[in-house]
C-alpha cells in the first residue's frame, strides 16, 4: 500500500504530457500503389486500402499513398515491373504471378505443401526467410513487405469426383505456378485462364476444374452453379501470402518516419487480411453448402502422389537455380521443424476441438 | 507498351517527393508501461519493448514509452489496478490474472478449449469481440489492445503418466483460472504457485504437476529435470493472448497521431510475439526431447471429461454474470463457425503435412 502511494505520488509529480510541443518536419510525399487485384476481392483490396489509410494517419497526413485497383494504372500482372522500373512507387501483389522471372519468388507467396500461415510469418520474421527474400528482390530494385496471408485455401471446384490418382489424368484444371507443374506431373492438364472467364470455361466444359481462393471469394465467381464438388485442402499452394512491393530508390528517398510507417502499417494489413478471411470464409462456406455444394477431401493417395511430385520439382529447380536452392534449404528446414512442433500442441488441440464441436 | 510509356511520363512529371515540407506539431509525451512479466520471458517482454520502440519511431521520437519488468514499478499481478487508477499509463499483461475481478476478462486471454490464435484475432477484429471487450474494460477506465498470442501451449509437466480420467483425482497441479476450475471439477487439486517456486514444489513432491507456457519458456524453469512427462495440448487455456492496457484518460489526452501509433505498434507486437514463439518452440522442444523429456498426449477420455466440465462451468458463470454471458454467446458462435471452417482446409492440410514430413 505504501509502495502504491509512493508510485502514485511519483506519477503525479511527473506530468505525462509535457507542456512544450516538439516540432518536427514531416516531408509531404504522394505515392501511388497499384494492386494486382480488383475491388471485388474486397478482403485483399481492403488490406491495401487499410495500409494506405494507416500510413497517412501515422504521418499526420504528410505521406499519402493512393491505392488503385488492377488495370487502373497498370494491368494486375505488371505490378512487379511497374514497381521495379519506378513507374510506380508501390504495389500490392502476389509473387506467384512473377515466377516466370524466377521460380525463387514463389517463397514469398507459397509452394505446394508449403508452410502454414503462422510458420510462413515466423520463417520470414525470425527464421531468416526475409533476409533471403530481400536479397532476391534487390535484383529487381524492390523491397518487399508481408501483405497478408489467406491461410490454407480450398482445393478447387470439380465437375466430377476425384477418387484415385488416375482421375487426375487428362483433367483440365485452372491452376498455375508450381501447383500447375505438380498437376502436370500427375498427368493433369493445367490451364491458365483469367478469373472472370473461369465460370464460362467450366460451364462449356472447356475445363474440368478450377481453383481460385477460398469460400468467400469463390462464392462471388459463382462456380458452385457449374461444378458441385468443392475439394480441400488447397495443397498446391500451402498458405498463400500477399506482398507489398516498394521501389528501392523511392524508399531510400523517404524520411525515416515514413519508412517506419510503411513497416508498421504493412504488419497491420498482414493481420487484418487474414482475420477478415477467417471471419468471412466460415459464413460463405455455410452458404455454399446450403446451395448444394458437396465438400470432398482429396484422397490420401492423390495427396501422396502430389507431395512426391512437388518434392521432385523442388529438387529439380534447386539443381538449376541457386537462389531457389538457398531459399528452399532454409524454408524446408523450417517446414520440418515447425511442423514437428505444430503437430504436438496446435494440431492436436485444433483436431480435438473440431471433433468436440462437430454438430 | 504505349500505355506504359505514358504512365512513366506521367510518373516523371509528378515528382513523388514534393519540395515543401509540412510542419506539424508532435506533442512530447512520456509514458511508462509496466509488464506483468520478467525480462527472462524474453519473447513476451520483447514484444512490449518492440512496441515501445516502434511508437517512438512512428512519432519521430516525440512519444516515448519506457518499458518496465514486473516488480520494477508495480508487482506483475497489479498491472491492471495500476493502469485503472492511473498510477501508470500502460501495461502489458494477461487478463487471466484478473478474472477474480470478473470472469468475463478471460475472453481477452483464453478459456479452456477456446479459440485458436487465428480465430481469437479474427473474433476480436472482425467478429464483434473487441467491441464487447472494450465495453467491459471501460468499467475499469482501461482501453485494451491485442498484445500477442502464444498459440496453443503445452499441457503441463507430470511426474506420473495420466492414463485415464481417474488419474486426475487428487492430482495437485499448478494450474489457475478457469482451467483450474475444470481441474477441480475433474477431481484434481489446482494449486496457485509462483513460477519461480514451481521447480522446488515438484522436486519436493508438494505438487504432482505444473503447467507454464510452452517448450521455450518451460525449458528455462528446468521442470524437465523433476518431471519427465510433458503433456499436450494445453486445453485449459485455448490459445492465450496477451494484452496492452492503456488508461482511458491518458489515451484521451493524446494527439491523434500518438493514438494511431499505439494502434499500429500493438498490432505489430501482436504478430511479432507469436512469430518469435513459433521459431523458438520447435528448437526448444527438440532440446527437451534430447534431454529425456517424454511427450504424452492427453488421453481422449480425459479431454472429453475436461471439455464437458468446461462447458458446464461456462454455463454456470453465464447464469450469474451478464457480461460473461454476452461475451460467451458471441465467442461460442464464432468458435463453432471458425472450427467448422478450420477443420476443412486448414486442419486437413496441417495434418497431412505433419504426417508427410514425419521423420
Amino acid at each position: 500500500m505504501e509502495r502504491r502511494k509512493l508510485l502514485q505520488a511519483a506519477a503525479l509529480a511527473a506530468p505525462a504530457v509535457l507542456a512544450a510541443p516538439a516540432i518536427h518536419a514531416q516531408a509531404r510525399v504522394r505515392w501511388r500503389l497499384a494492386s494486382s487485384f480488383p475491388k471485388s476481392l474486397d478482403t485483399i483490396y481492403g488490406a491495401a486500402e487499410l495500409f494506405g489509410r494507416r500510413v497517412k494517419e501515422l504521418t499526420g497526413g504528410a505521406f499519402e499513398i493512393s491505392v488503385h485497383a488492377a488495370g487502373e494504372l497498370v494491368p494486375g500482372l505488371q505490378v512487379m515491373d511497374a514497381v521495379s522500373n519506378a513507374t510506380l512507387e508501390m504495389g500490392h501483389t502476389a509473387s506467384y504471378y512473377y515466377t516466370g522471372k524466377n521460380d525463387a519468388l514463389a517463397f514469398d507467396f507459397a509452394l505446394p505443401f508449403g508452410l502454414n500461415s503462422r510458420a510462413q510469418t515466423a520463417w520470414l520474421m525470425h527464421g531468416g526467410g526475409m533476409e533471403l527474400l530481400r536479397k532476391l528482390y534487390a535484383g529487381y530494385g524492390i523491397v518487399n513487405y508481408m501483405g497478408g496471408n489467406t491461410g490454407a485455401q480450398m482445393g478447387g471446384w470439380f465437375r466430377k469426383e476425384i477418387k484415385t490418382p488416375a482421375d487426375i489424368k487428362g483433367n483440365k484444371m485452372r491452376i498455375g505456378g508450381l501447383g500447375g507443374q505438380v498437376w502436370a506431373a500427375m498427368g493433369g492438364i493445367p490451364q491458365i485462364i483469367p478469373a472472370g472467364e473461369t465460370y464460362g470455361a467450366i460451364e462449356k466444359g472447356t475445363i474440368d476444374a478450377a481453383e481460385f481462393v477460398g469460400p468467400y471469394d469463390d462464392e462471388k465467381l459463382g462456380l458452385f452453379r457449374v461444378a458441385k464438388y468443392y475439394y480441400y485442402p488447397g495443397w498446391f499452394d500451402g498458405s498463400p501470402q500477399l506482398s507489398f512491393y516498394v521501389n528501392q530508390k523511392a524508399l531510400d528517398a523517404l524520411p525515416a518516419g515514413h519508412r517506419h510507417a510503411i513497416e508498421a502499417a504493412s504488419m497491420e494489413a498482414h493481420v487484418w487480411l487474414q482475420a477478415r478471411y477467417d471471419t468471412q470464409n466460415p459464413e460463405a462456406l455455410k452458404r455454399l453448402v446450403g446451395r448444394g455444394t458437396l465438400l470432398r477431401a482429396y484422397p490420401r493417395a492423390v495427396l501422396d502422389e502430389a507431395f512426391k511430385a512437388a518434392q521432385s520439382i523442388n529438387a529439380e529447380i534447386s539443381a538449376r537455380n541457386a537462389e531457389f536452392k538457398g531459399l528452399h534449404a532454409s524454408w524446408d528446414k523450417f517446414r520440418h521443424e515447425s511442423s514437428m512442433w505444430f503437430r504436438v500442441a496446435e494440431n492436436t488441440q485444433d483436431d480435438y476441438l473440431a471433433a468436440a464441436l462437430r454438430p
Side-chain angles (χ1 to χ4, degrees), chain A:
Chain A
M1 231 8 212
E2 271 319 291
R3 186 193 170 85
R4 177 172 301 169
K5 275 188 195 149
L6 276 172
L7 285 167
Q8 282 174 329
L12 291 173
V17 179
L18 303 181
I23 306 289
H24 79 271
Q26 288 271 44
R28 272 201 184 286
V29 179
R30 298 287 174 274
W31 275 14
R32 294 179 308 169
L33 178 156
S35 172
S36 285
F37 309 95
K39 288 185 185 172
S40 59
L41 291 180
D42 58 284
T43 310
I44 298 181
Y45 192 78
E49 289 184 311
L50 169 80
F51 169 83
R53 216 161 45 236
R54 184 59 97 188
V55 165
K56 187 176 173 184
E57 288 173 347
L58 288 170
T59 57
F63 187 10
E64 283 191 66
I65 302 176
S66 58
V67 175
H68 305 269
E72 218 177 293
L73 301 177
V74 291
L77 306 188
Q78 288 174 27
V79 167
M80 185 173 178
D81 285 340
V83 175
S84 179
N85 66 26
T87 301
L88 296 169
E89 295 86 6
M90 273 199 79
H92 188 228
T93 189
S95 68
Y96 167 80
Y97 297 139
Y98 316 112
T99 49
K101 296 177 194 291
N102 189 335
D103 281 317
L105 288 165
F107 291 98
D108 193 32
F109 174 75
L111 277 84
F113 301 99
L115 307 177
N116 67 24
S117 60
R118 267 173 61 179
Q120 173 78 9
T121 297
W123 175 58
L124 290 182
M125 288 184 90
H126 301 291
M130 188 54 97
E131 289 81 353
L132 293 169
L133 282 181
R134 287 272 167 91
K135 259 186 228 167
L136 177 66
Y137 278 111
Y140 302 93
I142 288 173
V143 180
N144 62 302
Y145 298 85
M146 290 186 274
N149 191 311
T150 68
Q153 300 188 343
M154 290 296 285
W157 297 86
F158 286 75
R159 288 158 62 95
K160 287 184 194 154
E161 280 188 272
I162 298 293
K163 291 186 170 168
T164 72
D167 294 332
I168 307 288
K169 311 261 181 265
N171 185 297
K172 286 187 196 161
M173 183 175 185
R174 177 192 188 263
I175 181 172
L178 291 168
Q181 291 186 41
V182 172
W183 200 250
M186 294 169 76
I189 305 167
Q191 306 278 303
I192 305 295
I193 295 174
E197 293 168 27
T198 308
Y199 183 98
I202 296 193
E203 194 180 28
K204 285 179 210 132
T206 316
I207 57 174
D208 306 300
E211 72 97 2
F212 188 46
V213 186
Y216 181 71
D217 290 331
D218 288 11
E219 187 184 24
K220 291 180 236 165
L221 284 193
L223 302 183
F224 61 91
R225 293 198 186 87
V226 288
K228 71 176 172 185
Y229 299 106
Y230 197 18
Y231 273 78
Y232 63 89
W235 54 266
F236 32 76
D237 39 36
S239 289
Q241 182 188 275
L242 289 308
S243 310
F244 289 107
Y245 286 178
V246 181
N247 177 272
Q248 175 79 65
K249 283 183 189 158
L251 187 70
D252 292 344
L254 287 181
H258 289 17
R259 281 203 302 276
H260 294 312
I262 289 177
E263 289 158 11
S266 63
M267 292 303 302
E268 184 170 356
H270 187 63
V271 191
W272 184 93
L273 183 148
Q274 180 164 72
R276 190 101 198 273
Y277 270 125
D278 285 345
T279 308
Q280 295 165 325
N281 279 327
E283 295 163 2
L285 186 66
K286 265 202 306 193
R287 286 193 298 268
L288 288 167
V289 170
R291 281 160 157 174
T293 290
L294 300 173
L295 296 179
R296 290 288 181 271
Y298 272 104
R300 178 72 186 229
V302 170
L303 292 177
D304 285 345
E305 196 160 309
F307 183 77
K308 238 189 306 174
Q311 296 285 84
S312 301
I313 289 167
N314 290 348
E316 224 171 80
I317 304 174
S318 288
R320 57 178 153 82
N321 180 333
E323 283 161 325
F324 187 96
K325 188 182 177 181
L327 275 152
H328 183 269
S330 167
W331 172 92
D332 198 40
K333 181 169 181 284
F334 203 92
R335 182 169 66 145
H336 276 86
E337 300 202 343
S338 70
S339 169
M340 184 262 309
W341 159 234
F342 273 102
R343 86 170 159 254
V344 175
E346 196 72 39
N347 300 0
T348 312
Q349 182 142 297
D350 273 350
D351 289 338
Y352 179 78
L353 197 62
L357 297 176
R358 195 181 283 263

